[in-house]
Amino acid sequence: MRNILAITLAGVFALASVATNAAESLSHSDLLKKVRDKARIQEQVNEQRVQQFRSQRNRQADLLADAKRRLAEEEAKSERLKAQFDENEKELTQISEDLRIKQGNLGELFGVVRQSANSMTGDIGTSLVSAQYPGRQGLLNTLTEADALPKMEQLRAFWVLMLQEMSEQGQTTTFTADVVNEGGRSEQQTVTRVGTFNLISNGEYLFFDKGVIKTLQVQPDSRVLNQVEEFQSTNSGYAGLFLDPSKGAILQLEKQKMSLIDRLWEFSGFAGKTVMVLLVIGLLIALERIFTLYFVTGPKVHSQKKSATPGNNPLGRIMKVYQANRNEDVENLELKLDEAVLKETPKIERGINLIKVIAALGPLLGLLGTVVGMIEVFQSITLYGTGDPKTMADGISQALVTTVWGLLAAIPLTFLHAVVAGKSKSIIHVLEEQSTGLMAQHEESNG
């Protein structure tokens, strides 16, 4: 009420100031009337605000009372639920104890079944039998993840599954299945399963990975694949076949295996590549000498032995020297013929000593590469230890491959050197023999 009175007085003062400024136009009665009207209107507004405040205060009081009532109800409900929970805990404990007593040895059975199913999950998933009978892991997953005792039907199915896996290990069967080829496309093929060792189809080996039958990217050697074709074409009796006891792991490693040529080139090193170059040079020289001695010089010399007319060959040139100096005495003619033979010898023996040198250098360079490779091996052992053999593989491979290159260069070049040297000696022997014969003929003609 004091606030209302203060507002009223403020209005009066305001009106009084307005009335003072406009005293000429307003009378005292009009001013008093306006003040009373304003005061009445203000009282009505204030009364409405007071009524609204009281209404809201009563509403808040009702809401507070309702909230207290609901809180009391929830607390009572919580007490009832707590008491019920404690009662249920006691009952559950009693039921669990009764279940444990009634189960007896069934609890141990459940543990054994779960452990056996867990251990067989990996074997069944990778077994080649699953390629013929897919979806066998569902039962094992159910037994492994179950929290309750297995049912009799599940135990019987698990027993049948183990018997099937054992019996199929000794069976060779043929079935139709989807096979993913190297291009990633799936096509139906007739697949032969040999126990739990191999899958074969169309003369090739297959492998089973994550429930999918796939074609090997790199097949084994031809001698192994020939056995596959023979095995598949056999309708009765027995046939040999290469088996993979690792159930596909060894076949998978085939794609990582390097061929002999790739291995010799990859790990040859500087020494090995040098031996390769020398081997090529030695082979070219040996082939040229073989062609010259066996197909050019040799036949011409043998033909010249049957002809008295000198030709363009070593023996023919010696005969020309004899005919040009046949009037000389024996000593001078002998010297001339010996000179002619010595002059033809280097042409016949050209490159033969080089073949011998290359054949001797091959093993020496191979030994050099072996020493370098062993140095790398010991360096790897010093840095990384001997825990991982792969860190030493490069050095060991280089040591062995360079030795192989040295032997590959020495063995054929030594053989070719022997062949070429023997042929050259036989031709020189013919030249010396014919030269001696010409000398004998000259002595006989001079009496």
Side-chain angles (χ1 to χ4, degrees), residues 243-407:
L243 298 179
D244 183 4
S246 63
K247 301 179 181 180
I250 296 178
L251 288 175
Q252 284 289 86
L253 294 177
E254 285 289 327
K255 61 183 179 181
Q256 301 179 10
K257 187 175 69 175
M258 301 173 64
S259 63
L260 179 60
I261 297 176
D262 294 337
R263 190 181 300 109
L264 291 177
W265 177 260
E266 181 71 20
F267 299 103
S268 59
F270 175 76
K273 291 181 174 60
T274 304
V275 176
M276 294 182 206
V277 176
L278 293 177
L279 175 60
V280 173
I281 295 174
L283 290 176
L284 293 177
I285 296 174
L287 293 177
E288 187 272 334
R289 288 288 84 199
I290 289 175
F291 177 78
T292 301
L293 297 177
Y294 279 88
F295 301 100
V296 179
T297 304
K300 289 183 178 180
V301 169
H302 288 287
S303 299
Q304 186 65 54
K305 291 169 59 178
K306 302 176 182 179
S307 175
T309 303
N312 187 17
N313 56 79
L315 183 56
R317 288 188 287 270
I318 293 174
M319 292 176 65
K320 289 180 181 180
V321 172
Y322 170 74
Q323 292 178 358
N325 300 278
R326 63 192 314 169
N327 295 324
E328 298 286 339
D329 57 17
V330 176
E331 294 181 358
N332 290 333
L333 182 60
E334 183 179 4
L335 293 175
K336 294 289 185 179
L337 293 177
D338 290 341
E339 181 182 1
V341 172
L342 292 175
K343 188 176 181 180
E344 296 296 331
T345 300
K347 297 178 182 179
I348 298 173
E349 293 182 343
R350 185 181 70 245
I352 296 179
N353 288 331
L354 184 57
I355 298 174
K356 183 178 181 180
V357 170
I358 294 175
L361 284 177
L364 295 177
L365 289 173
L367 180 60
L368 175 61
T370 302
V371 174
V372 173
M374 294 309 298
I375 290 174
E376 292 185 2
V377 171
F378 288 118
Q379 185 177 4
S380 299
I381 293 175
T382 303
L383 293 176
Y384 308 108
T386 58
D388 188 5
K390 293 183 179 180
T391 58
M392 302 180 290
D394 290 342
I396 296 174
S397 299
Q398 181 177 348
L400 298 177
V401 167
T402 51
T403 303
V404 172
W405 274 116
L407 296 176

